[in-house]
Amino acid sequence: MAKTLIKNALIINEGRSFRGSVLIDGKYIAGVYEQEIPATDVKIIDASGKWLLPGVIDDQVHFREPGLTHKGDIRSESRAAVAGGVTTYMDMPNTNPQTVTLDALEWKFRRASEVSAANYSFFFGGTNDNAALIAKLDRKRIPGIKLFLGSSTGNMLVDREEALRRFFGETDLLIAVHAEKEDIIRRNKAYYTARYGENLDISFHPKIRSGEACYASSSEAVSLAEKIGTRLHLFHLSTAKELSLLDRGPLNERRITGEACVHHLWFSDEDYKRYGNLIKWNPAIKTAEDREALRRAVMDDTIAVVATDHAPHLLAEKEGTCLVAASGGPLVQHSLLAMLDMAADGIFTPEKVVEKMSHHPADLYRIDRRGYIREGYFADIALVDPCKPLTVSKENILYKCKWSPFEGYTFRHSVWKTFVNGVEIFSDGQVSDGAASMEVVYNPE
């Protein structure tokens, strides 16, 4: 493979923004330069006016394969990912069959090796009955164990004390949780349906899946993790109160960490009137006050990482009352652009966006040589044009479900090119059919 020199870019990396060049040799970054370098026998890409960022690492996506591929699949959603500057993803286990056996996990790895446009990794799913498999998991191949502590698909609700203690105590793998208290959700649902009937609109969703349900479950998980010494990661935090549960200090010393998702940073419950079920997620989007607290927590480093919880459904599946409409939506193609838009509004800085979407996921999960623009690291790179707006439309949406809550919105930036392991996999609106992706490797020690 020929060498490629990307020159004259504004490199945003490790808290700095500086004009420079990056040399790619095969799969790797061969050099990062702040001065002009002689260029011989290389392909030159002039990135004048563009921003060069490490590719985004999304630690929570649902690419729907196997079994739910009418909504999305590994090929379609990974192509949408690279179009959005996302070069690595970690897929969730609530597929069909669920990723709760070693065979199901291995199937996903094989499938991704055949079709994924982005680097791939898969969480193993815990159930009330499969804790005995912990010892057989390869700690260099998976990011962690995903536990649903609120209602979920099939038998993936883990609510037995014995099973929880085994997952929390028998591995040093990171335990990532969806935390909503099921009995509180049931109580809230019974209360509102008794008063208003079954035909509840979307405004009742955050009342049923309430802040109380989130905090009760999150605090129980944290209490158990602190007693046992577990590395616990709270997915998609949605309330201000939950932020008090998180550790502070250097990321590599924290045992209790949290994630914010783009939709909880962008929308508030005031937006239900406009978007309806399109912004129905679990956990629910909460108040503007909760959103502001989450935004502050990203900037002051209380929140460790920002991700998407990308979860496509067909539009037909998003119809109906708040008790019927599917929860979740597609985001991975537009997450970086949404965060950079918020940075343009002064909510974040571009450097903070890179930290939360690239550096910190790599550090938290101990990923081998990804997440930074560094010599010797894999050449996972997003080139962003800060002067070319992108209006989201059905014509440029790459999700298999063919819709987005951002449809009609114009982002101030656009992704110009994306490199995965040194291969230019996306350029000027087109995804290449070439193979470039790799299985993510972790450094557990």
Side-chain angles (χ1 to χ4, degrees):
M1 186 185 297
K3 296 180 181 180
T4 300
L5 180 68
I6 306 172
K7 67 176 188 177
N8 300 327
L10 180 70
I11 300 172
I12 304 176
N13 185 56
E14 301 194 61
R16 297 178 59 215
S17 296
F18 59 93
R19 194 73 54 189
S21 303
V22 172
L23 180 64
I24 300 171
D25 187 357
K27 297 177 180 178
Y28 303 101
I29 296 172
V32 183
Y33 309 97
E34 294 189 48
Q35 69 281 342
E36 285 287 331
I37 64 168
T40 58
D41 194 28
V42 298
K43 174 185 176 182
I44 295 177
I45 296 176
D46 188 351
S48 298
K50 310 299 193 298
W51 295 354
L52 189 153
L53 322 175
V56 171
I57 300 172
D58 194 329
D59 80 340
Q60 190 186 181
V61 305
H62 302 260
F63 280 0
R64 301 305 193 192
E65 191 169 1
L68 303 169
T69 54
H70 65 287
K71 305 171 189 278
D73 56 51
I74 291 173
R75 182 180 187 274
S76 65
E77 307 313 284
S78 66
R79 288 168 67 86
V82 297
V86 177
T87 54
T88 298
Y89 62 86
M90 303 174 196
D91 186 63
M92 294 297 108
N94 53 331
T95 48
N96 184 20
Q98 298 157 346
T99 318
V100 297
T101 67
L102 300 181
D103 286 345
L105 180 65
E106 192 60 40
W107 187 94
K108 279 191 171 181
F109 279 117
R110 287 197 304 270
R111 180 60 176 162
S113 72
E114 297 166 351
V115 300
S116 184
N119 302 312
Y120 49 90
S121 189
F122 301 96
F123 273 87
F124 184 77
T127 73
N128 281 325
D129 307 309
N130 72 347
L133 294 176
I134 294 172
K136 298 182 179 180
L137 297 172
D138 187 340
R139 294 158 65 239
K140 292 186 177 182
R141 297 191 76 195
I142 65 169
I145 297 172
K146 170 68 179 291
L147 300 181
F148 288 87
L149 307 184
S151 59
S152 69
T153 303
N155 71 334
M156 292 196 70
L157 172 62
V158 183
D159 56 1
R160 293 181 192 164
E161 184 72 16
E162 179 185 359
L164 284 172
R165 286 189 172 275
R166 289 197 68 182
F167 282 117
F168 277 55
E170 294 185 12
T171 181
D172 58 359
L173 279 164
L174 182 142
I175 304 295
V177 297
H178 176 138
E180 292 183 281
K181 190 73 171 175
E182 181 65 17
D183 58 356
I184 294 176
I185 294 170
R186 289 195 189 106
R187 183 191 70 198
N188 291 340
K189 179 180 177 181
Y191 173 79
Y192 287 109
T193 54
R195 291 193 67 181
Y196 302 104
E198 297 283 337
N199 192 29
L200 300 175
D201 66 36
I202 187 61
S203 66
F204 286 91
H205 187 56
K207 298 173 183 177
I208 293 172
R209 303 189 81 96
S210 62
E212 178 191 10
C214 294
Y215 182 79
S217 184
S218 295
S219 60
E220 286 181 6
V222 168
S223 178
L224 181 59
E226 289 178 337
K227 288 177 184 176
I228 297 176
T230 309
R231 288 178 62 218
L232 178 68
H233 188 52
L234 300 174
F235 273 153
H236 44 44
L237 295 172
S238 62
T239 72
K241 190 174 183 181
E242 289 171 286
L243 299 172
S244 65
L245 301 170
L246 303 177
D247 288 344
R248 271 67 168 181
L251 184 59
N252 63 357
E253 297 177 7
R254 300 185 206 180
R255 305 295 291 179
I256 311 296
T257 55
E259 167 205 276
C261 285
V262 171
H263 49 284
H264 290 123
L265 297 169
W266 185 280
F267 300 108
S268 77
D269 60 359
E270 298 167 5
D271 293 308
Y272 285 124
K273 292 179 182 178
R274 177 179 177 184
Y275 294 97
N277 293 338
L278 296 183
I279 60 169
K280 184 189 176 193
W281 270 274
N282 295 338
I285 290 166
K286 306 294 197 305
T287 67
E289 290 75 19
D290 288 311
R291 180 185 63 185
E292 295 310 307
L294 292 170
R295 289 173 169 181
R296 288 194 300 271
V298 169
M299 274 305 296
D300 69 17
D301 290 333
T302 302
I303 292 285
V305 301
V306 171
T308 62
D309 194 16
H310 172 87
H313 297 283
L314 300 185
L315 278 174
E317 296 170 321
K318 296 291 285 182
E319 294 176 355
T321 71
C322 85
L323 302 180
V324 173
S327 293
L331 276 174
V332 76
Q333 187 179 347
H334 304 108
S335 57
L336 176 60
L337 298 182
M339 289 296 292
L340 291 176
D341 247 37
M342 286 186 273
D345 288 333
I347 297 168
F348 310 120
T349 64
E351 293 81 6
K352 185 62 66 175
V353 170
V354 170
E355 178 185 84
K356 297 303 177 185
M357 301 187 83
S358 303
H359 301 338
H360 277 190
D363 293 341
L364 178 67
Y365 290 95
R366 303 169 183 173
I367 295 173
D368 180 41
R369 290 173 293 169
R370 302 192 190 277
Y372 290 85
I373 303 299
R374 288 178 179 169
E375 184 177 341
Y377 273 52
F378 292 102
D380 297 338
I381 294 169
L383 285 165
V384 171
D385 191 334
C387 300
K388 184 178 180 181
L390 175 72
T391 300
V392 181
S393 67
K394 284 196 180 347
E395 290 69 36
N396 57 36
I397 291 171
L398 297 186
Y399 311 128
K400 195 172 189 179
C401 66
K402 295 305 293 181
W403 68 273
S404 165
F406 293 118
E407 192 170 338
Y409 182 82
T410 299
F411 290 109
R412 281 165 277 191
H413 312 74
S414 58
V415 176
W416 180 42
K417 296 179 184 291
T418 303
F419 289 79
V420 174
N421 301 310
V423 176
E424 186 178 312
I425 198 72
F426 174 80
S427 180
D428 293 317
Q430 299 297 316
V431 181
S432 168
D433 287 326
S437 65
M438 296 172 61
E439 179 182 327
V440 176
V441 175
Y442 299 91
N443 297 315
E445 302 303 330

